[in-house]
Amino acid sequence: MLAVYLRPEGRRLAALAVFLLAGTAVQLASPQIIRTFIDTAATGGADAPLERLWMLAGLFIAVTILAQLLQIGSTYFSEQLGWSATNRMRQDLATHALHLDMAFHTAKSPGELIERVDGDVAALAAFFSQFILQIIGGALLLAGILIVLYLQDWRIGVLLTGFAVVAGLVLHAIRRIAGGRWERLREAWSAFSGFLEERLAGLDDVRANGGGPHVMRRMGEVNAELLDANVAAARRGHWIFLTASALFSIGFGMALALGVWLFQRGEASIGTVFMFMQYAGMMSLPIMLIGQQLQQFQAASASLNRIRDLRAIQAELTDGPGVGWEGRRTDAPAVGFEALTFAYRADTPVIRGLDLQVPAGEVMGLLGRTGSGKTTLTRLLFRLYDPQGGAVTLDGVDIRGARLAELRGRIGLVTQEVQLFDASIRDNATLFDPAIPDARITEVLEDLGLGDWLSRQSSGLATVLRAGGGLSAGEAQLLAFARVFLKDPGLVVLDEASSRLDPATDQLIERALDRLLGADGTGRRRTAIIIAHKLSTVQRADRIAILDQGRLMETGRRAELEADPESAYARLLRTGLEEVMA
Ligand SMILES: Nc1ncnc2c1ncn2[C@@H]1O[C@H](COP(=O)(O)OP(=O)(O)OP(=O)(O)O)[C@@H](O)[C@H]1O
């Protein structure tokens, strides 16, 4: 999977390789310059050629600066590589997750998905860029140092190779013993953020019930655990650091001892001894980092596996072959629910063998107690789920044959809970369709009675609405109507809000309903399914269907049912519809 995302990055990869190789070569060169400098100075004594020394000093400075520049270049390319490859992965994952079935989204919490799509991918990106830089770069440098040392004197080569292996193993062992410190810290952090999130979400309740002191006491406890975990992690981190420092001092000491011995035997110059020390010092960082990154490797491969698992989940609801509904968006279709059975979970049926027809252009009022399956029926119409038995049809055609966009393009939906997005009024009304002209949006909003509201907004249609705030329940409902008018479909589903609105807004909604259902004299009829909570809305229906525990209890023309005192509908009206349904 990684190869797929890395392939388009060939150029960056090549640039990174060049920078890494050049950087390693330059880093390897600087101890050589120092050796020459020292030897030139030492052997020349008072007659040392000053010009040559100046040149060597200048060269050393140039090489040091070049090494830094190359380091910046490699960091730049490795970050670019890591993030651009994984950004594409994140985008693919988000698209994939958005196309998964509702059943999947019901089972997974949004937090879990965010953790997959963002957390895991970010972890991978960070690892990726570090991996290339620190493991590959570090390994190159380490190998380079050892090769140079072997070429210089095999004894120092053997000594420092042995040292590198032992130091690597000891550090690995220490890390394993000290392991677990991050887990405890991460747990403490997630407990802390979970605590904050929950209390902030319930702020109204906490305040209203005087729960403040209790929350603060609990916060103290959570904070104390966080402090403990932090201190423990820092203490263990220091152990690793101290061990590493001790190890590298020993390595340094061994290189020094061997150097001095070689010097005394006349087999190495003083400059060479100094060079050994420099190389020995340069080895410590890669040895530390390679070990650290290899440990991260486990975490990164766990992230990768989770991402792979998510990608492997396939949507069961897929596009049908298409039934040629393009251009029929505004036609009012006949809707049929035929011998429909459906269950969210295998053992609890929600719709049980339901047969119901809504003729084209008619308004069907869907009634039933809470939990009787009304909303579920509308979800099946949108094909958010597929039924286990029977079919939903539009104009007699099974909706499973249609492409999803073709089907959903024909239906408008006004739900009880209007989802607002953190976006402009324009985008909220058109649901991010840039093709709809501003003039049309303004016209629709004004027709719905939102003209005043719009004129009060600081930047008109461009004003950004805050998700979840800023709009009253009534205004949000009207905005949902605006969405349907702008889409202008031939079939609408309305899940009426059961909450009471103020009389003025109520009147605006009544007017919007008149227009939507073609009762305003324009004669434009739409097929409509209304889950009604108010008597005034029910009375707009041509037909009534009453559901009871997923079965059709009664259906017929509203006028006829009303006239028949034995009908369940007439009984409902007598009992008081709003009391029963609310
Ligand atoms: N996503 C879901 N997963 C599992 N069960 C569900 C799910 N959604 C609804 N149900 C169950 O299906 C049954 C029918 O729910 P539905 O929302 O269709 O009823 P409703 O008639 O629309 O009720 P209300 O008037 O309260 O909205 C209920 O028992 C409900 O608990």
Side-chain angles (χ1 to χ4, degrees):
M1 179 165 74
L2 283 181
V4 174
Y5 289 99
L6 278 179
R7 208 163 294 139
E9 302 293 330
R11 277 190 181 179
R12 286 200 179 111
L13 212 55
L16 180 60
V18 170
F19 273 84
L20 271 181
L21 283 172
T24 310
V26 170
Q27 282 188 65
L28 288 175
S30 77
Q32 303 280 349
I33 301 172
I34 294 193
R35 172 180 63 172
T36 317
F37 183 92
I38 293 177
D39 285 345
T40 313
T43 49
D47 307 324
L50 213 55
E51 239 174 57
R52 189 169 150 76
L53 289 178
W54 272 114
M55 198 201 73
L56 282 169
L59 186 64
F60 177 76
I61 294 175
V63 160
T64 311
I65 294 175
L66 184 63
Q68 290 300 323
L69 291 178
L70 288 169
Q71 177 78 33
I72 293 173
S74 336
T75 310
Y76 174 78
F77 281 112
S78 72
E79 290 286 332
Q80 281 264 327
L81 190 76
W83 285 95
S84 53
T86 47
N87 272 349
R88 253 177 286 127
M89 180 191 273
R90 180 182 289 120
Q91 209 155 357
D92 285 356
L93 265 185
T95 315
H96 177 73
L98 282 177
H99 284 97
L100 287 177
D101 298 340
M102 283 305 289
F104 168 84
H105 288 286
T106 320
K108 295 263 182 222
S109 75
E112 233 177 306
L113 264 188
I114 292 173
E115 188 51 35
R116 279 304 79 75
V117 173
D118 190 54
D120 278 337
V121 176
L124 210 58
F127 168 74
F128 225 164
S129 43
Q130 294 302 309
F131 178 85
I132 297 177
L133 211 57
Q134 299 186 342
I135 296 207
I136 303 187
L140 267 178
L141 185 63
L142 212 52
I145 292 174
L146 292 176
I147 291 172
V148 172
L149 289 175
Y150 272 109
L151 289 177
Q152 183 66 40
D153 192 306
W154 66 269
R155 285 164 293 191
I156 187 86
V158 170
L159 181 77
L160 287 185
T161 308
F163 165 70
V165 172
V166 172
L169 290 177
V170 170
L171 280 178
H172 180 65
I174 294 273
R175 275 201 196 94
R176 283 184 57 166
I177 296 167
R181 67 198 171 112
W182 296 120
E183 277 70 41
R184 186 175 160 204
L185 192 58
R186 256 195 298 268
E187 269 165 32
W189 266 116
S190 76
F192 180 72
S193 42
F195 172 82
L196 269 191
E197 191 187 329
E198 198 179 301
R199 297 309 182 278
L200 284 176
L203 196 59
D204 289 351
D205 283 347
V206 171
R207 273 201 189 139
N209 298 313
H214 169 75
V215 169
M216 288 317 289
R217 208 166 33 248
R218 181 76 195 110
M219 170 124 174
E221 289 164 19
V222 177
N223 255 328
E225 165 58 19
L226 194 57
L227 177 71
D228 271 1
N230 252 314
V231 170
R235 206 181 296 132
R236 290 185 177 193
H238 273 295
W239 270 112
I240 297 183
F241 179 74
L242 283 178
T243 319
S245 304
L247 268 176
F248 293 127
S249 305
I250 293 173
F252 208 65
M254 288 194 314
L256 182 64
L258 183 66
V260 170
W261 184 70
L262 289 172
F263 176 70
Q264 280 173 343
R265 289 166 55 108
E267 290 181 34
S269 67
I270 187 135
T272 308
V273 175
F274 195 82
M275 185 185 75
F276 289 162
M277 314 300 309
Q278 284 253 304
Y279 280 131
M282 275 166 70
M283 284 171 68
S284 54
L285 198 63
I287 293 178
M288 273 295 275
L289 292 183
I290 290 177
Q292 224 169 46
Q293 285 300 320
L294 284 178
Q295 209 180 24
Q296 297 285 321
F297 186 71
Q298 281 182 353
S301 52
S303 287
L304 196 61
N305 281 339
R306 282 192 296 262
I307 292 172
R308 229 182 246 137
D309 289 348
L310 177 58
R311 282 175 64 104
I313 300 173
Q314 288 299 326
E316 283 170 22
L317 283 162
T318 46
D319 271 340
V323 285
W325 281 345
E326 291 85 5
R328 299 196 50 194
R329 185 171 45 88
T330 52
D331 291 358
V335 181
F337 300 99
E338 285 153 24
L340 203 62
T341 52
F342 175 73
Y344 291 101
R345 281 187 303 269
D347 50 342
T348 38
V350 174
I351 304 290
R352 312 161 192 233
L354 185 114
D355 273 298
L356 181 63
Q357 304 297 325
V358 188
E362 293 207 357
V363 178
M364 170 71 80
L366 203 54
L367 306 181
R369 285 176 190 280
T370 177
S372 56
K374 306 179 296 286
T375 310
T376 304
L377 214 52
T378 64
R379 287 184 186 140
L380 292 171
L381 177 58
F382 269 94
R383 225 183 143 216
L384 297 177
Y385 297 88
D386 271 342
Q388 279 88 20
V392 182
T393 60
L394 288 195
D395 288 334
V397 178
D398 190 329
I399 59 170
R400 278 171 292 202
R403 282 192 295 278
L404 288 170
E406 209 177 31
L407 168 71
R408 292 173 189 165
R410 294 192 74 176
I411 318 174
L413 174 71
V414 180
T415 51
Q416 293 199 22
E417 297 270 317
V418 184
Q419 174 71 48
L420 294 177
F421 297 97
D422 203 348
S424 65
I425 294 180
R426 173 178 215 299
D427 287 340
N428 266 292
T430 61
L431 290 176
F432 305 92
D433 180 355
I436 302 174
D438 281 2
R440 172 82 189 119
I441 305 170
T442 314
E443 183 191 333
V444 164
L445 291 178
E446 278 171 0
D447 280 352
L448 285 169
L450 284 174
D452 268 358
W453 170 79
L454 185 62
S455 63
R456 271 186 275 121
Q457 305 303 315
S458 54
S459 322
L461 287 179
T463 313
V464 172
L465 294 180
R466 296 278 157 236
L471 247 70
S472 73
E475 286 160 353
Q477 275 283 315
L478 289 168
L479 192 70
F481 274 101
R483 283 175 180 168
V484 176
F485 281 114
L486 287 169
K487 184 174 178 183
D488 196 22
L491 170 61
V492 291
V493 173
L494 177 77
D495 194 349
E496 184 180 49
S498 48
S499 55
R500 313 243 165 226
L501 302 168
D502 65 273
T505 316
D506 224 22
Q507 215 179 353
L508 289 179
I509 294 206
E510 291 284 317
R511 256 186 42 207
L513 267 174
D514 280 346
R515 295 201 46 207
L516 193 66
L517 305 178
D520 62 344
T522 54
R524 166 78 197 282
R525 298 283 288 182
R526 291 181 170 92
T527 311
I529 297 177
I530 304 187
I531 303 176
H533 292 281
K534 287 187 298 196
L535 188 60
S536 60
T537 315
V538 176
Q539 280 168 345
R540 294 169 180 280
D542 303 307
R543 291 168 177 269
I544 294 289
I546 303 179
L547 292 192
D548 182 36
Q549 297 184 21
R551 289 198 183 85
L552 188 63
M553 187 180 174
E554 182 174 280
T555 185
R557 300 203 71 82
R558 181 174 56 84
E560 286 165 18
L561 293 179
E562 218 171 289
D564 174 5
E566 294 302 309
S567 74
Y569 178 62
R571 272 203 308 278
L572 257 180
L573 288 182
R574 283 199 299 274
T575 334
L577 177 88
E578 298 184 29
E579 276 71 56
V580 182
M581 296 301 166

